[in-house]
């Protein structure tokens, strides 16, 4: 292992890798020696992530994957095995939200979209990661991107339901698959400025100083949480630095949930 390369020789699958946390994690994991299969429902976004990884000297492939489709999640994980020979890390990170919607504004279609991506999609990722890890033997690591909204009341109610459910999934599965040396953890980020809450036309616009100050003011540490902060936590949970850690729901929130 070269100094500082925490994922040398490992293979990681990341969903929602076309943007935000997923893109930051793809870049960081690859910089730490991992081969990364980047999945996202948006072809152009995920292709760009793989290009950025390659430009930085890393190794990544891009694949279109809608995590609400079980067959596509299975195919994503199978592709990682066929292209890279094995998998070590599955990062279930794809997510959607309904910014500004109150309970009465949520139609069935909103419920289905949020639970489909945030909860059922992560469930599929866990299901097939466990299947392959068991076949391979020797364990593996699953990381789920949850939210502070799964720990405390914050944001939309349906979004919170999906993230609370994801935390429950994380803990129950950690217990179930611990005997196979498979670790399962969740990260609960505080509010971040990403495409999640931006209009289509404003996607990938850099956060303004005013926005960063406003988001920072939400937290005891008066700074905004950044996708790179979440990627750093994911790197730790993906790496052998965290071999004694499973079943946790780790806030990366500048103290938001400490109140
Ligand atoms: N931004 C925040 O404030 C915040 C806070 C806490 C948790 N999170 C969580 O962090 C994770 C990453 O979000 P982000 O902030 O980086 O947002 P983002 O919008 O920048 O990235 C999410 C990615 O998921 C992809 N995606 C959406 N639906 C998909 C599907 N059906 N299949 C595959 N990919 C799909 C999108 O195309 C996008 O590339 C999400 O799970 C989100 O819920 C975000």
């Amino acid at each position: 292992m070269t100094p500082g390369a925490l994922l040398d020789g490992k293979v990681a699958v990341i969903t929602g890798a076309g943007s935000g946390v997923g893109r930051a994690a793809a870049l960081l994991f690859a910089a730490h020696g991992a081969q990364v299969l980047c999945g996202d429902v948006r072809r152009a976004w995920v292709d760009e992530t793989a290009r950025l990884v390659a430009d930085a000297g890393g190794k990544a492939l891009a694949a279109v994957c809608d995590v609400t489709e079980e067959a596509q999640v299975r195919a994503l994980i199978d592709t990682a095995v066929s292209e890279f020979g094995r998998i070590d890390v599955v990062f279930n990170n794809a997510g959607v939200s309904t910014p500004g919607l109150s309970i009465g504004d949520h139609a069935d279609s909103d419920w289905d979209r949020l639970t489909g991506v945030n909860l059922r999609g992560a469930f599929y990722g866990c299901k097939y990661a466990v299947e392959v890890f068991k076949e391979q033997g020797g364990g593996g690591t699953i990381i789920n991107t949850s939210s502070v909204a799964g720990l405390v009341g914050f944001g939309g109610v349906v979004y919170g339901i999906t993230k609370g459910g994801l935390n429950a999934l994380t803990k129950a599965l950690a217990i179930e698959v611990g005997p196979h040396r498979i670790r399962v953890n969740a990260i609960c980020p505080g509010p971040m400025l990403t495409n999640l809450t931006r209009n289509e036309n404003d996607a990938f616009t850099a956060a303004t100083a005013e926005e960063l100050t406003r988001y920072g003011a939400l937290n005891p540490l008066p700074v905004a949480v950044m996708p790179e902060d979440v990627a750093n936590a994911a790197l730790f949970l993906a790496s052998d630095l965290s071999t004694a850690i499973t079943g946790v729901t780790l806030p990366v929130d500048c103290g938001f949930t400490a109140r």
Side-chain angles (χ1 to χ4, degrees):
M1 189 169 87
T2 52
L6 294 175
L7 301 180
D8 217 23
K10 295 197 191 287
V11 175
V13 178
I14 303 175
T15 68
S19 171
V21 169
R23 178 174 286 178
L27 283 160
L28 186 64
F29 286 14
H32 277 266
Q35 299 179 93
V36 185
L37 182 58
C38 304
D40 201 287
V41 74
R42 290 174 182 261
R43 161 64 74 190
W45 291 13
V46 76
D47 281 350
E48 176 66 3
T49 297
R51 192 191 64 77
L52 290 169
V53 171
D55 281 359
K59 190 156 185 189
L61 291 173
V64 173
C65 173
D66 179 346
V67 297
T68 65
E69 297 290 333
E70 183 166 11
Q72 293 190 30
V73 177
R74 174 168 224 158
L76 184 73
I77 288 177
D78 285 348
T79 299
V81 175
S82 60
E83 292 291 334
F84 298 131
R86 56 177 291 106
I87 56 167
D88 301 280
V89 180
V90 172
F91 187 13
N92 297 304
N93 167 74
V96 289
S97 69
T98 45
L101 287 202
S102 59
I103 187 165
D105 296 329
H106 282 88
D108 284 358
S109 56
D110 297 310
W111 174 277
D112 290 345
R113 192 169 69 93
L114 265 68
T115 57
V117 179
N118 298 0
L119 197 46
R120 193 158 47 81
F123 167 74
Y124 294 147
C126 290
K127 185 174 170 181
Y128 292 109
V130 165
E131 189 176 296
V132 174
F133 288 152
K134 282 184 179 173
E135 279 168 16
Q136 291 178 167
T141 302
I142 296 169
I143 305 158
N144 297 321
T145 306
S146 181
S147 170
V148 292
L151 299 171
V152 298
F154 179 74
V157 290
V158 182
Y159 184 76
I161 287 168
T162 65
K163 297 302 189 179
L166 189 52
N167 289 348
L169 164 62
T170 299
K171 287 173 187 284
L173 186 61
I175 293 165
E176 180 183 317
V177 300
H180 299 276
R181 301 290 188 269
I182 300 168
R183 299 188 294 113
V184 190
N185 293 295
I187 300 171
C188 298
M192 293 177 285
L193 289 150
T194 65
N195 290 337
L196 191 78
T197 50
R198 289 208 187 282
N199 295 326
E200 186 76 25
N201 292 340
D202 295 331
F204 295 105
T205 47
T208 64
E210 181 278 322
E211 285 176 320
L212 290 169
T213 302
R214 187 156 41 85
Y215 273 56
L218 297 168
N219 305 323
L221 277 178
V223 289
V225 180
M226 303 300 284
E228 290 75 14
D229 297 321
V230 181
N232 281 330
L235 172 65
F236 169 69
L237 291 172
S239 79
D240 292 342
L241 291 179
S242 58
T243 46
I245 299 177
T246 196
V248 304
T249 50
L250 175 68
V252 177
D253 67 351
C254 295
F256 185 92
T257 53
R259 287 195 173 96

